């Protein structure tokens, strides 16, 4: 039974049947409500018409009663009520002529003619009575009585006819609703049975999914070869251990191990022997640590050990010495004997490491120090961290470089497809360091992103790009520009206002400026991103998501963010011609972007075949070395002139 429930065909059939059943039930509800509403509308309209005929009957009766009162005492003072009542049914007759159905319109027209004669008779009667003409008064009184009787009879017939119509409408509606209720009951029972079936299917799938999830979670958090924890699980446990330490618990020790001559084993004996060596190292490390400690493989021949209940840095050093002793020694690998050795670096929280990132970084620095100096084991010491001074110096130099105007921009064109016209220029920052020469963004942007310099750096790049765009515009070249924006800028509440000020200062068109953001920031801080981007886009600035596909954007974020453009990362465009999977992924990204009404830009185009392929797949724009490598501003006009020559077919 369980195996039957787990079959995909059963699940699909149950879901499809339930969907159809619910759809029919919803359809029946709609039909029933519309039928009831239609019947109610007809009944209401008929009731309103009947009410008009009823009022006509009453008004004619009132007129005749006033006439009789007048005839009983034909005084001048008593004739005014009668005069005022004459013609009182005219508005009702006009309403019937304008709004009634065909029978009511026909009957109202006939009654209107008779009613006109009746009112004429009443007026003549009053005139005869006022003149003292008794014979004339009697003649007109007799005519009025006959007319009033006929008019009332005709009105009462129409009232009865409309009331009968209402009864018929309500009877038919009741019959239809009864039939629909039977159908609804049948569908409800069928849907209930299908819900029970789907519940059983889902329960069976849930149990299997839970087992798969547990297995997937294990695979996601453990190394497939050695069974040790991987980097993800280690990071989680480090964060948890630091939280416990902050609550008054013991400190946290971290050891990083790198094997000696592992590459030689792989190259000489083969990868199988290398795998056997890694498995033996994992076995020895597990055997030499406590159950509370966590042993992890970070990748390659690098391992980590998270130590619990460590009181000080020296305790971590003692464990590291013991572990290295347990680790080192000969090992049998498929009939061959190799010697295992390695280098271990260790660090300690809360001092000198003040965070999880520093704990990992410091252990890594200590491990490389032990490896370079053949120490076997080494603890973290500030003087061995050569990167800290260089990084601080770099940031100080960059701060001064921004103030001194040492930043330069190179531009890489984007072309539109399929006409190959120039669609814009992406500004790429360079730093002309007074000692180290021209530096690319990779040499200083990551450090700037980790400091408060990213705001000043981005403002300076925007200023340069808009200034250059203004010069091009003055020379008759209106070229859109795109500038990369860091996460820190979108978290800064004053950034949109500074962009607006720069646009005004350079007399720029906001629609000719595109700000490119990386997709990872969308999920890191979506609320900050949405607020800043919405304000910028409201001013006309275009928003692009850069390097799409290498991060982990949520579809709901893409749908809710104010975006105009999506740039496919070069990793995906490179695989369009080489693998079916690469082409399928690129095609899926393009379809997603078009579904969200976004312009698609393919990055990393390096050959004519790829350019043609992305154009055929629906990309609106392309960028890459095939068209042009990043150029300094002085060379852009010449390139624009050369590009007008049809060098590409």
């Amino acid at each position: 039974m369980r195996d039957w429930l787990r079959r995909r065909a059963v699940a699909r059939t149950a879901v499809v049947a339930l969907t159809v059943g619910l759809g029919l039930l919803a359809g029946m509800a709609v039909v029933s409500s519309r039928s009831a509403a239609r019947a109610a509308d007809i009944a209401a309209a008929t009731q309103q018409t009947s009410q008009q005929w009823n009022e006509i009957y009453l008004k004619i009766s009132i007129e005749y009663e006033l006439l009789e009162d007048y005839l009983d005492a034909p005084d001048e003072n008593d004739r005014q009520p009668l005069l005022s009542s004459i013609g009182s049914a005219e508005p009702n007759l006009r309403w019937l002529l304008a709004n009634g159905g065909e029978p009511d319109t026909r009957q109202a027209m006939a009654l209107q003619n008779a009613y006109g004669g009746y009112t004429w008779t009443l007026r003549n009667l009053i005139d005869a009575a006022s003149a003292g003409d008794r014979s004339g008064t009697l003649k007109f009184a007799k005519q009025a009585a006959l007319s009033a009787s006929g008019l009332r009879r005709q009105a009462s017939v129409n009232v009865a006819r409309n009331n009968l119509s209402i009864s018929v409408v309500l009877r038919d509606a009741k019959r239809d609703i009864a039939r629909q209720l039977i159908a609804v009951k049948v569908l409800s029972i069928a849907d209930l049975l299908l819900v029970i079936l789907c519940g059983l299917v889902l329960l069976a799938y849930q149990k299997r999914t839970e087992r798969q999830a547990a297995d997937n979670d294990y695979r996601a958090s453990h190394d497939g070869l050695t069974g040790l924890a991987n980097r993800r699980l280690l990071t989680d446990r480090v964060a948890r251990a630091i939280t416990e330490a902050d609550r008054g618990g013991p400190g946290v020790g971290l050891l990083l191990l790198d094997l000696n001559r592992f590459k030689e084993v792989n190259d000489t004996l083969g990868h199988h022997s290398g795998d056997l060596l890694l498995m033996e190292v994992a076995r020895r490390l597990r055997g030499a640590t406590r159950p509370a400690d966590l042993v992890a493989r970070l990748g390659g021949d690098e391992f980590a050990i998270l130590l619990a209940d460590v009181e000080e840095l020296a305790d971590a050093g003692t464990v590291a010495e013991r572990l290295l002793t347990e680790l080192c020694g000969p090992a049998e690998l498929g009939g061959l004997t190799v010697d295992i050795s390695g280098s271990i670096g260790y660090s300690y929280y809360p001092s000198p490491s003040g965070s999880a990132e520093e704990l990992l970084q410091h252990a890594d620095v200590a491990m490389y120090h032990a490896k370079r100096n053949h120490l076997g084991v080494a603890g973290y010491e500030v003087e061995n961290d050569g990167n800290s001074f260089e990084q601080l110096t770099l940031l100080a130099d960059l701060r001064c470089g921004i103030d001194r105007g040492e930043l330069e921009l190179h531009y890489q064109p984007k072309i539109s497809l399929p006409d190959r016209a120039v669609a814009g220029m992406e500004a790429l920052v360079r730093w002309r360091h007074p000692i180290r020469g021209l530096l690319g963004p990779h040499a200083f942007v990551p450090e700037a992103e980790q400091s408060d310099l990213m705001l000043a750096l981005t403002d300076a790049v925007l200023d340069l790009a808009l200034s250059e765009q203004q010069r091009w515009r003055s020379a008759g070249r209106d070229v859109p520009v795109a500038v990369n924006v860091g996460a820190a800028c979108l978290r800064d509440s004053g950034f949109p206002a500074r962009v607006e000020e720069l646009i005004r200062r350079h007399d720029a068109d906001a629609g000719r400026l595109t700000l490119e953001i990386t997709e990872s920031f969308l999920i890191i801080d979506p609320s900050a991103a949405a607020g800043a981007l919405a304000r910028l886009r409201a001013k006309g600035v275009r928003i692009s998501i850069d390097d799409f596909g290498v991060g982990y954007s949520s579809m709901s974020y893409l749908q809710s963010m104010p975006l105009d453009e999506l740039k496919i990362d070069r990793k995906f465009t490179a695989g369009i011609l080489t693998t079916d999977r690469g082409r399928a992924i690129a095609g899926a990204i393009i379809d997603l972007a078009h579904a969200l009404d976004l312009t698609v830009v393919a990055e990393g185009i390096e050959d004519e075949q790829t350019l043609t392929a992305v154009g055929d797949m629906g990309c609106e724009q392309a960028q890459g070395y095939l068209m042009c490598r990043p150029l300094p501003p002085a060379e852009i006009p010449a390139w624009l002139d050369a590009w007008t020559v049809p060098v590409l077919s």
Side-chain angles (χ1 to χ4, degrees):
M1 180 65 176
R2 290 182 180 178
D3 293 338
W4 181 79
L5 287 173
R6 290 172 184 167
R7 292 178 183 174
R8 291 186 177 180
V10 174
R12 290 174 180 170
T13 302
V15 171
V16 170
L18 180 59
T19 303
V20 172
L22 291 175
L24 290 174
L25 191 60
M28 287 298 301
V30 172
V31 170
S32 179
S33 63
R34 289 183 176 177
S35 178
R38 184 166 57 251
D41 290 342
I42 295 173
T46 307
Q47 178 65 35
Q48 191 173 14
T49 302
S50 179
Q51 180 66 28
Q52 295 296 325
W53 284 113
N54 193 52
E55 289 184 12
I56 291 173
Y57 178 87
L58 291 175
K59 290 178 179 179
I60 292 173
S61 298
I62 291 171
E63 288 175 351
Y64 188 73
E65 288 176 1
L66 292 173
L67 172 63
E68 289 180 335
D69 292 342
Y70 176 71
L71 291 176
D72 289 341
D75 189 279
E76 286 296 327
N77 296 326
D78 294 333
R79 73 172 181 173
Q80 189 57 42
L82 177 60
L83 285 172
S84 300
S85 68
I86 295 175
S88 61
E90 282 292 344
N92 303 95
L93 290 169
R94 286 196 296 271
W95 187 94
L96 289 169
L97 290 172
N99 302 291
E102 182 180 353
D104 294 293
T105 303
R106 187 173 61 253
Q107 292 292 330
M109 189 175 297
L111 187 65
Q112 189 178 44
N113 293 331
Y115 186 67
Y118 175 62
T119 57
W120 179 85
T121 300
L122 292 178
R123 289 189 178 91
N124 285 334
L125 185 150
I126 294 172
D127 291 341
S130 298
D133 184 0
R134 181 167 181 78
S135 61
T137 301
L138 292 174
K139 181 183 71 171
F140 288 125
K142 185 177 182 181
Q143 291 179 0
L146 292 173
S147 297
S149 176
L151 289 171
R152 283 183 293 183
R153 183 169 55 255
Q154 190 173 352
S156 63
V157 167
N158 283 286
V159 169
R161 177 177 54 80
N162 279 278
N163 289 339
L164 180 61
S165 298
I166 294 173
S167 300
V168 172
V169 169
L170 294 177
R171 183 196 62 201
D172 292 343
K174 184 178 180 180
R175 184 179 63 250
D176 291 342
I177 291 173
R179 292 173 180 173
Q180 292 163 5
L181 285 176
I182 294 174
V184 167
K185 289 179 181 178
V186 172
L187 286 173
S188 298
I189 294 172
D191 286 343
L192 178 60
L193 295 175
L194 288 171
V195 166
I196 294 173
L197 177 60
C198 287
L200 294 175
V201 172
L202 290 175
L203 184 61
Y205 269 91
Q206 180 184 6
K207 292 182 178 179
R208 188 174 71 173
T209 301
E210 288 174 352
R211 289 194 297 270
Q212 290 178 342
D215 183 61
N216 291 339
D217 186 64
Y218 180 84
R219 292 175 183 272
S221 59
H222 289 78
D223 177 55
L225 176 65
T226 63
L228 298 176
N230 60 13
R231 185 182 294 272
R232 170 188 165 187
L233 181 56
L234 175 69
T235 302
D236 291 343
R237 291 289 182 85
V238 168
R240 190 184 306 173
I242 287 179
T243 300
E244 291 297 326
D246 291 340
R247 292 174 179 171
V252 182
L254 182 66
L255 281 57
L256 286 188
L257 163 68
D258 187 79
L259 298 179
N260 296 332
R261 298 182 300 278
F262 176 74
K263 187 175 184 300
E264 296 176 12
V265 174
N266 258 345
D267 294 344
T268 304
L269 304 180
H271 290 286
H272 177 66
S273 296
D275 290 345
L276 292 176
L277 175 60
L278 293 173
M279 293 168 66
E280 175 62 19
V281 170
R283 186 189 66 80
R284 294 185 181 186
L285 290 176
R286 275 196 295 256
T289 53
R290 300 168 298 174
D293 298 331
L294 179 71
V295 182
R297 181 189 174 205
L298 304 184
D301 61 338
E302 192 173 33
F303 296 81
I305 301 93
L306 177 63
L307 304 177
D309 300 331
V310 179
E311 296 297 336
E312 58 184 14
L313 181 64
D315 293 339
T318 301
V319 176
E321 295 282 358
R322 179 171 56 80
L323 275 178
L324 190 61
T325 301
E326 295 285 341
L327 174 70
C328 295
E332 293 290 332
L333 304 177
L336 299 174
T337 302
V338 298
D339 186 62
I340 298 179
S341 64
S343 302
I344 298 179
Y346 59 90
S347 58
Y348 179 75
Y349 178 89
S351 177
S353 304
S355 65
E357 292 77 10
E358 286 188 354
L359 188 68
L360 290 164
Q361 179 186 354
H362 290 170
D364 190 59
V365 169
M367 185 267 290
Y368 278 105
H369 177 70
K371 195 175 187 70
R372 283 193 302 267
N373 296 281
H374 307 287
L375 300 176
V377 173
Y380 174 76
E381 297 178 359
V382 176
E383 55 267 25
N384 296 331
D385 193 349
N387 293 324
S388 297
F389 177 76
E390 179 182 355
Q391 183 180 12
L392 290 174
T393 303
L394 179 70
L395 291 175
D397 289 348
L398 179 59
R399 192 181 301 275
C400 295
I402 294 174
D403 295 337
R404 291 195 297 261
E406 294 174 357
L407 297 180
E408 300 178 7
L409 295 183
H410 286 195
Y411 295 89
Q412 187 173 29
K414 296 188 293 185
I415 66 167
S416 62
L417 299 173
D419 60 2
R420 310 275 176 103
V422 176
M425 297 284 176
E426 180 181 1
L428 304 170
V429 66
R430 304 288 188 267
W431 177 18
R432 193 166 293 280
H433 194 281
I435 298 175
R436 299 168 62 185
L438 188 65
L439 301 179
H442 62 278
F444 59 93
V445 170
E447 285 76 10
E449 287 179 335
Q450 302 303 318
S451 71
D452 61 348
L453 273 181
M454 197 60 199
L455 298 176
L457 177 63
T458 303
D459 290 349
V461 170
L462 274 168
D463 191 18
L464 285 172
L466 292 174
S467 176
E468 193 62 48
Q469 184 189 47
Q470 186 179 34
R471 283 193 290 272
W472 291 335
R473 193 166 57 250
S474 298
R477 306 176 189 275
D478 187 10
V479 182
V481 295
V483 176
N484 292 280
V485 175
C489 297
L490 298 181
R491 284 193 293 264
D492 178 25
S493 60
F495 178 70
R498 294 199 301 275
V499 174
E500 296 172 25
E501 174 58 29
L502 286 171
I503 291 173
R504 284 193 295 269
R505 185 190 307 169
H506 294 286
D507 194 23
D509 180 0
R512 310 291 279 178
L513 171 64
T514 299
L515 300 183
E516 297 185 5
I517 60 174
T518 56
E519 64 166 317
S520 58
F521 182 61
L522 292 182
I523 198 168
I524 293 174
D525 198 347
S527 59
L533 296 180
R535 179 174 171 183
L536 289 165
R537 197 164 182 260
K539 296 297 182 181
V541 177
R542 300 182 76 253
I543 307 299
S544 172
I545 179 170
D546 195 15
D547 298 333
F548 184 81
V550 299
Y552 40 91
S553 288
S554 165
M555 295 302 103
S556 63
Y557 292 145
L558 287 181
Q559 186 179 14
S560 61
M561 290 293 171
L563 303 174
D564 299 283
E565 179 182 278
L566 182 149
K567 301 184 76 175
I568 303 178
D569 187 75
R570 63 186 70 249
K571 293 180 181 178
F572 298 108
T573 55
I576 288 176
L577 299 180
T578 56
T579 64
D580 292 338
R581 178 172 293 183
R583 186 177 184 88
I585 292 175
I589 294 175
I590 293 170
D591 291 341
L592 170 65
H594 287 164
L596 298 174
D597 198 23
L598 304 180
T599 300
V600 184
V601 182
E603 296 183 302
I605 304 300
E606 298 187 2
D607 55 75
E608 178 67 23
Q609 293 80 8
T610 305
L611 182 64
T612 302
V614 297
D616 293 340
M617 295 173 71
C619 282
E620 287 83 6
Q621 297 180 14
Q623 184 178 13
Y625 287 172
L626 174 65
M627 285 70 75
C628 184
R629 292 176 177 268
L631 296 175
E635 299 181 24
I636 293 298
W639 182 87
L640 289 171
D641 292 338
W643 184 254
T644 59
V645 179
V647 293
L648 294 176
S649 58

